[in-house]
Amino acid sequence: MEIIKRGKPPCDRDWFGSCHACGSEMRAKQSELKKVEECIREKYEFAHAKCPVCGADFVLYPKED
């Protein structure tokens, strides 16, 4: 089999988010996230995390290629 364009396994996908409380910006690999959720109606994925700087909850979204 020939690979025409090499993709990324889902666990290697980059996710980005920013904390609304302190303004920190974060990047994480999908394998680092505890739970990825999907909004079926709007057709997008998201994940919740705690800010490592201030401890506030924030949302990450996958990078669109």
Side-chain angles (χ1 to χ4, degrees), residues 7-36:
K8 283 179 123 179
C11 64
D12 287 344
R13 253 188 342 177
D14 288 323
W15 289 65
F16 294 89
S18 59
C19 177
H20 295 289
C22 71
S24 297
E25 295 182 4
M26 274 66 75
R27 177 180 65 201
K29 296 286 185 192
Q30 184 164 327
S31 59
E32 298 175 302
L33 303 173
K34 291 182 181 178
K35 184 177 180 184
V36 174

Side-chain angles (χ1 to χ4, degrees), residues 46-60:
F46 62 96
H48 293 277
K50 286 218 179 275
C51 178
V53 176
C54 71
D57 291 327
F58 71 100
V59 178
L60 294 109

Side-chain angles (χ1 to χ4, degrees), residues 1-7:
M1 184 178 303
E2 179 183 3
I3 298 172
I4 306 297
K5 178 184 174 191
R6 185 168 191 88

Side-chain angles (χ1 to χ4, degrees), residues 38-52:
E38 182 177 357
C39 179
I40 296 170
R41 186 176 64 187
E42 300 293 328
K43 298 183 180 178
Y44 66 89
E45 294 176 296
F46 62 96
H48 293 277
K50 286 218 179 275
C51 178

